Amino acid sequence: MTGSAKATVFIDNERVIVTEYRFAPGDNTGWHRHGHDYVIVPLMDGKLKLLTKDGESFAEMKKGAPYFRKEGVEHDVINANEGEYAFIEIELK
């Protein structure tokens, strides 16, 4: 990923990769494809803009409410909030 969001890897072992993503307003992850199933755990309430091959959409995120996605998702994730936004991503190897 080549975006402007700050990624901090906390765990990378034979089972999982746990990464915190922190976004200033307008920061993004950069276009990427998920190579593993993954779980996102929002660290705060907020809104993210998602760019996919099918267009643009928005996701309302709730602090502590995780969600799961299958391997193969392709997108760019952009902070659509007026302030900082952050989440934890847990990739399942």
Side-chain angles (χ1 to χ4, degrees):
M1 288 186 263
T2 59
S4 52
K6 182 178 184 234
T8 303
V9 176
F10 290 111
I11 301 169
D12 186 352
N13 62 31
E14 67 282 351
R15 306 279 308 267
V16 298
I17 304 169
V18 179
T19 307
E20 178 189 77
Y21 286 91
R22 289 209 166 261
F23 302 74
D27 276 358
N28 71 317
T29 58
W31 186 266
H32 61 281
R33 179 187 185 280
H34 286 268
H36 304 284
D37 292 351
Y38 65 100
V39 174
I40 298 293
V41 182
L43 298 178
M44 56 195 69
D45 292 345
K47 183 164 60 171
L48 296 175
K49 180 163 70 169
L50 306 169
L51 299 179
T52 69
K53 63 179 176 62
D54 297 323
E56 174 181 296
S57 63
F58 290 87
E60 292 291 334
M61 310 294 280
K62 292 293 180 192
K63 178 181 178 180
Y67 65 87
F68 170 83
R69 296 288 182 267
K70 301 283 282 173
E71 170 187 356
V73 172
E74 292 186 54
H75 58 190
D76 187 8
V77 179
I78 302 156
N79 179 5
N81 302 286
E82 292 182 9
E84 180 183 60
Y85 191 77
F87 62 75
I88 298 286
E89 176 184 82
I90 303 159
E91 296 177 90
L92 309 171
K93 292 184 177 179

